[in-house]
Every structure is written in C-alpha cells, then in structure tokens.
C-alpha cells in the first residue's frame, strides 16, 4: 500500500519514518519553499536518521517537491503541516486527488471545516474522505536536516473525526493499519477533536507566562519542568476548565488535560506540576521556544484558541482567561489574532454554529 506524507517538518519526517518502518511504500513531500529537510533526505538516498529513545535509520521510497507525484496512487495522504499552511496545501492537492482517497490532517485544528468548504466549492463530486486528529503521533523535532529526534516511540491513543461519517469504518481500518500500536478512536464530532487539542491548552499560556525566561535564556531551559511552575499550572488549569465549559455548552463531555495526558502517554500524574516534573518525554532536552514567532503562538493561538473563543461567544460562555491569553499573544507579536484566526462560522455559512444542533458525545 502506498502512503503519502505531505510536510517535511519534525512531525512529517517522524511519521514518514514510522510508516516506512511498517513496510508501506512511503512518499514524502515538501513544498519548494520549505524543502531543506527533503533535500537532505534525498541526498541520503531517501534515508531518514532517527535519534531519541529508539535510534535507527530507515528509508522512504520517494522524496519529492511534486504534489502530483507524491499523492498519485496513495490510499491515504497525511497532511502534516502547520495549520496556517493547510488550506494552501489542500488547494494545490485538489486537482490531483481521485475518488476513494483518504486525507488525514494531523493535527487538524478544526481543518475539516475549511477543507470541506473548499472541496464542495471546487470539486463537489470528488468522493474522498477527510479525517483529522487532535494531535501528532510523535513528540518530535528536526535535529538537523535529514535527522529527526523522536522523544517517544508513539502515542498510546489518537482521536480522529471522519467526514463523511459513513466512511468511518474505512478510515479507522486504514489508520489502525498505519499505526498498529496506537489505539485509534473515532469521535465523529469535529468540535470535540479541535477542543481536545493539548497544544492549545498548554503551549500559548506556557510561552506567554515564560516571556522573561525565553528572552533571557533564548529558550535554553526545560520548557516543562522549569517553565510549568505551580503558578503557571494554575493558569493552565483555569484555561482547561474554560475549555471544558465550552464543550459542555455544545453537549460535549470533554476530558481534563491530565486525562488526555494519561491516554496519550500512560502517565499517571497527580497534578500538572507532577506531570511537568516527571514526564521523561517532555524533559529529554531543552525544548522552549527561542522567540515569540514560534508556532506555539503563531499557530496555536489563531488556529486553536481563536476557534475556541468563537465557539464560546456563540454559546455565551464566559472565558476571561482564554480572552486574556489571546489578547496578550496578539500584543506580544503585533498581530490581531482574532481577526486573522480560524473562525469556524466563516466556512459554514449555511450551517450556523448553534449549540442545540450538536448531539452529546463523550470524548476520550
């Protein structure tokens, strides 16, 4: 079976290495403007060097800057790019997609809404399946071009939504085949997937509340055990409660952050501070942002926190901590994230977001 991974950053290269190890015919694509890793892997004759807990070298079949070549014949196509690049990539993929292909966006960050809108507008008769996850499979980062550091082998559980819903069994079978050691859970509610993203709960608040540390050390500290102090954890917990309140307004019983952490990593932490101090996955090396243009702000605020805020406003849920984090992040990088962020209602003009339209579901 051929699979394609669209995106050659840390998450994409880690996933490509995983799929190659599983024996799949694996194509790795990078856009020309972000091709540094792809060039390095190509020069290594398709070899990807993996460091971390399980160091190894594996080989992908194809490394390309040609979208058509990458996705041709692929049963499942993984889009592993920052949220701000999802729509442009999907637009470039659309002319070459064929019926029966499955498109998996990892992580989704509410991507189903704009991608579904684009599909219906540009190629309404194309019979493909759109799925999105709340997280990546690995905790990974590029160590140097052609080499990816994977801090943990894989997550124990991943949640996905599926569109259209009748393709759920097909999507779950394909995903489980690609990730046999990870439990794949289908949660057919796009809001639950976006609201369950741990990136949105942790990254922006942790970055903002460590501004001084980031500036004085240029990120040379342990982001979790040094940065997630009891006071910082208090703010993250407050944001987490607001997130759960948003979900409740839409009939969703969302798990607390500690429960998400347990399901992903098998960590039985007594508190967020306990998690920050004891997680080997998150404390292998210095992992703090070196600047404020980092994706923890530039991606997670407009593509997670702003959608959460738009949902809160539509359901009249009071979210003072969420609003404050967005406001401070906007001021920090001189960008109005509320105006530039992903407002879900923009993509569903015929389906306004109203709490009563959603059925109750348990997530995780």
């Amino acid at each position: 079976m051929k699979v394609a991974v669209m995106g050659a950053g840390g998450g994409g290269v880690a996933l490509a290495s995983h799929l190659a190890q599983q024996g799949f015919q694996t194509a790795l694509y990078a856009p020309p403007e972000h091709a540094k890793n792809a060039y390095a892997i190509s020069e290594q004759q398709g070899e990807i060097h993996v460091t971390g807990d399980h160091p190894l070298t594996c080989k992908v079949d194809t490394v390309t800057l040609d979208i058509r070549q990458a996705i041709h014949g692929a049963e499942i196509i993984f889009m592993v790019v920052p949220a701000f690049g999802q729509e442009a990539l999907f637009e470039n993929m659309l002319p070459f997609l064929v019926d029966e292909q499955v498109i998996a966006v990892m992580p989704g960050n509410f991507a189903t809404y704009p991608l579904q809108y684009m599909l219906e507008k540009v190629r309404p008769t194309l019979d493909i399946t759109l799925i999105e996850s709340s997280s990546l499979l690995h905790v990974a980062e590029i160590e140097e071009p052609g080499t990816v550091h994977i801090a943990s082998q894989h997550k124990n559980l991943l949640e996905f939504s599926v569109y259209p819903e009748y393709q759920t069994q097909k999507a779950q079978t394909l995903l489980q085949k690609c990730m046999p050691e990870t439990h794949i859970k289908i949660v057919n509610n796009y809001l639950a997937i976006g609201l369950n993203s741990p990136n949105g709960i942790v990254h922006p608040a942790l970055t903002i509340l460590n501004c001084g540390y980031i500036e004085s050390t240029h990120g040379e500290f342990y982001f979790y055990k040094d940065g997630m102090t009891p006071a910082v954890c208090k703010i993250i917990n407050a944001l987490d409660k607001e997130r759960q309140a948003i979900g409740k307004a839409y009939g969703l019983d969302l798990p607390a952050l500690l429960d998400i952490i347990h399901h992903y990593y098998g960590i039985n932490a007594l508190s967020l501070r306990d998690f920050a101090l004891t997680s080997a996955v998150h404390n292998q090396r210095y992992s703090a942002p070196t600047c404020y243009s980092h994706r923890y702000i530039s991606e997670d605020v407009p593509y997670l926190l702003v959608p959460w805020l738009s949902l809160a406003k539509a359901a009249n849920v009071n979210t003072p901590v969420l609003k404050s984090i967005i406001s401070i992040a906007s001021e920090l990088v001189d960008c109005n994230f509320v105006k530039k962020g992903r407002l879900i209602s923009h993509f569903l003009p015929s389906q306004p977001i109203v709490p009563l339209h959603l059925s109750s579901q348990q997530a995780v």
Side-chain angles (χ1 to χ4, degrees), residues 53-67:
D53 289 343
H54 303 278
L56 55 87
T57 296
C58 61
K59 188 173 183 178
V60 295
D61 298 273
T62 305
V63 184
T64 182
L65 309 185
D66 185 328
I67 285 183

Side-chain angles (χ1 to χ4, degrees), residues 109-159:
N109 294 7
F110 299 97
T112 297
Y113 291 99
L115 300 194
Q116 176 189 343
Y117 180 78
M118 293 169 66
L119 177 64
E120 292 176 352
K121 185 177 180 180
V122 178
R123 294 190 65 186
T125 62
L126 181 63
D127 183 19
I128 61 172
T129 302
L130 293 172
I131 61 181
E132 68 170 282
S133 71
S134 53
S135 184
L136 292 168
L137 181 61
H138 305 93
V139 176
E141 62 180 343
I142 295 298
E143 191 166 90
E144 62 182 25
T147 300
V148 62
H149 179 85
I150 300 179
S152 63
Q153 192 171 5
H154 54 75
K155 289 187 174 72
N156 297 328
L157 175 143
L158 280 179
E159 291 181 312

Side-chain angles (χ1 to χ4, degrees), residues 301-349:
V301 173
Y303 293 92
L304 283 171
L305 299 195
V306 169
W308 294 0
L309 182 62
S310 68
L311 291 169
K313 287 181 176 179
N316 294 316
V317 178
N318 188 31
T319 56
V321 176
L322 175 61
K323 290 178 185 177
S324 297
I325 292 171
I326 295 172
S327 296
I328 294 171
S330 297
E331 187 66 28
L332 194 63
V333 299
D334 298 315
C335 176
N336 188 331
F337 284 127
V338 172
K339 286 188 176 180
K340 294 193 174 184
R342 179 170 278 169
L343 300 178
I344 300 171
S345 57
H346 287 182
F347 302 102
L348 295 175

Side-chain angles (χ1 to χ4, degrees), residues 21-36:
Q21 291 174 61
Q22 299 297 321
F24 295 108
Q25 180 186 347
T26 305
L28 177 64
Y29 165 83
E33 63 272 22
H34 299 290
K36 192 174 183 179

Side-chain angles (χ1 to χ4, degrees), residues 56-292:
L56 55 87
T57 296
C58 61
K59 188 173 183 178
V60 295
D61 298 273
T62 305
V63 184
T64 182
L65 309 185
D66 185 328
I67 285 183
R68 184 201 294 263
Q69 181 187 16
I71 67 178
H72 177 72
E75 288 191 41
I76 184 166
I77 301 164
F78 293 94
M79 289 176 54
V80 191
V81 296
F84 47 76
Q86 291 169 343
E87 291 163 58
L89 175 59
F90 189 67
E91 182 179 21
N92 291 333
M93 288 166 53
L94 269 174
F96 309 115
L97 294 174
V98 297
D99 290 346
E100 304 300 322
Q101 286 182 312
V102 175
I103 316 300
V105 190
M106 297 182 67
N109 294 7
F110 299 97
T112 297
Y113 291 99
L115 300 194
Q116 176 189 343
Y117 180 78
M118 293 169 66
L119 177 64
E120 292 176 352
K121 185 177 180 180
V122 178
R123 294 190 65 186
T125 62
L126 181 63
D127 183 19
I128 61 172
T129 302
L130 293 172
I131 61 181
E132 68 170 282
S133 71
S134 53
S135 184
L136 292 168
L137 181 61
H138 305 93
V139 176
E141 62 180 343
I142 295 298
E143 191 166 90
E144 62 182 25
T147 300
V148 62
H149 179 85
I150 300 179
S152 63
Q153 192 171 5
H154 54 75
K155 289 187 174 72
N156 297 328
L157 175 143
L158 280 179
E159 291 181 312
F160 288 84
S161 62
V162 181
Y163 172 83
E165 191 170 344
Y166 69 82
Q167 294 285 14
T168 293
Q169 186 57 55
K170 172 185 176 181
Q172 186 165 19
T173 299
L174 271 176
L175 288 167
Q176 201 65 74
K177 190 174 181 180
C178 291
M179 308 170 196
E181 297 179 352
T182 295
H183 175 58
I184 302 299
K185 181 171 182 178
I186 303 300
V187 179
N188 268 322
N189 188 302
Y190 316 141
L191 296 186
I193 295 298
L195 284 165
N196 271 349
S197 171
N199 290 352
I201 310 169
V202 176
H203 290 166
L206 187 53
T207 301
I208 288 169
L209 294 172
N210 279 276
C211 281
Y213 216 171
I214 290 170
E215 284 185 322
S216 62
T217 69
H218 303 287
E220 292 292 310
F221 66 97
Y222 291 101
F223 200 38
Y224 288 82
K225 69 180 181 181
D226 291 341
M228 284 181 69
T229 63
V232 172
C233 289
K234 183 178 180 181
I235 301 302
I236 293 174
N237 275 321
L239 175 63
D240 194 32
K241 289 178 181 177
E242 291 183 358
R243 175 190 65 90
Q244 290 179 290
I246 296 168
K248 187 175 182 179
Y250 289 85
L252 297 169
D253 183 14
L254 301 178
L257 174 58
L258 273 181
D259 293 323
I260 295 174
I261 290 169
H262 170 70
H263 285 292
Y264 279 3
Y265 305 107
I267 299 172
N268 293 306
L270 300 176
S271 64
L272 281 186
R273 179 58 177 162
D274 183 38
F275 155 72
L277 290 172
T278 61
S279 174
V281 172
H282 296 85
N283 291 303
Q284 284 192 3
R285 54 172 61 190
Y286 292 156
S287 59
T290 58
C291 62
Y292 302 129

